[in-house]
Amino acid sequence: MRRPFIAGNWKMNMDKAGAVALAQGLVEACKDIADVDVAICPPFVYLDAVCQVCKGTNVAVGAENCYFEDNGAFTGEISVAMLKDIGATYVILGHSERRNIIGECNELINKKVKKALAGGLKPILCIGELLETRKAGKTMDVIKDQLEGSLADLTAEDMANVTLAYEPVWAIGTGEVATPEQAEEVHAFVRDWLTNRFGAEVAQNTRIQYGGSVKASNAQGLIGKEDIDGALVGGASLKVDAFMGIINNCR
Ligand code: PEP
């Protein structure tokens, strides 16, 4: 039985006071939630403050990115060890905004995934197709490429610490959510791929979140599907009530 996992991706939003207040509000609201894993992923500069608020609570903290080298002359980058040092547990990797705006490729994402795992951070690996890909009927080809490239060289043991997030790019921040059936079709494909690549046990144990305009009103229908194990939430994770509505609707 996979435990639901809801993660908030705050992206490049808020100021420090807002980030701390949101973390405090969520810690308070989540204190009796024992049946769902919850994580929040603030911008780098607020991570330390948010980690301090969440320390010892049932709200985990993740970063929105990391680099694949240990240390050195990599201006502007943040290492896995730095994130561990301040108390982060998760790291979002391969988000479509990093793939499509910053230009990250599967090979780079794979290096980051491997480095995160080696350093004890748990990757939330995002995959998802562009609208034109879906229209061309090539969704599963792209998903397969992203999985093969981003998870290259990983072992079945590594997968115990990996969460996948299927995020159709056309649904991110657009208000246009995938239907539960559209999402489930891809989630089932991903689980089949996991079975072939890592075996049935890994496939059954790996959590696959859906992401893309999730809110309280559509969360239940999505998470009710067999292969959808939670959500990666952008916009609706920026307010305590909106995020809690999603968490409560998937219990
Ligand atoms: C995201 O950024 O991962 C995301 C799913 O955003 P939104 O919920 O705003 O669509």
Side-chain angles (χ1 to χ4, degrees), residues 3-25:
R3 196 177 145 91
F5 178 22
I6 309 292
N9 175 14
W10 293 1
K11 310 193 190 188
M12 200 173 73
N13 289 299
M14 283 183 288
D15 57 14
K16 186 175 178 184
V20 168
L22 178 54
Q24 285 168 335

Side-chain angles (χ1 to χ4, degrees), residues 9 11 95 97 167 171-174 211-214 232-236:
N9 175 14
K11 310 193 190 188
H95 191 279
E97 286 147 19
E167 300 205 302
I172 297 182
T174 59
S213 298
V214 176
L232 181 56
V233 185

Side-chain angles (χ1 to χ4, degrees), residues 79-178:
S79 73
V80 170
M82 289 170 181
L83 296 171
K84 286 293 291 178
D85 186 31
I86 58 157
T89 303
Y90 295 97
V91 59
I92 298 172
L93 292 173
H95 191 279
S96 67
E97 286 147 19
R98 297 207 62 87
R99 288 179 187 267
N100 298 312
I101 301 173
I102 313 289
E104 291 195 5
C105 62
N106 288 324
E107 197 185 345
L108 173 64
I109 294 161
N110 178 241
K111 286 185 184 171
K112 294 182 178 192
V113 169
K114 289 191 279 194
K115 196 66 184 185
L117 288 167
L121 269 187
K122 299 179 177 190
I124 299 174
L125 172 70
C126 303
I127 52 176
E129 82 286 4
L130 296 164
L131 185 56
E132 59 255 39
T133 308
R134 176 158 284 263
K135 283 187 173 158
K138 299 246 185 293
T139 297
M140 304 311 181
D141 297 339
V142 165
I143 296 292
K144 184 164 169 278
D145 264 14
Q146 291 174 337
L147 288 168
E148 276 171 3
S150 308
L151 298 178
D153 308 325
L154 263 65
T155 64
E157 290 69 42
D158 289 331
M159 288 305 293
N161 291 312
V162 175
T163 299
L164 299 177
Y166 167 58
E167 300 205 302
V169 181
W170 46 272
I172 297 182
T174 59
E176 191 186 342
V177 65

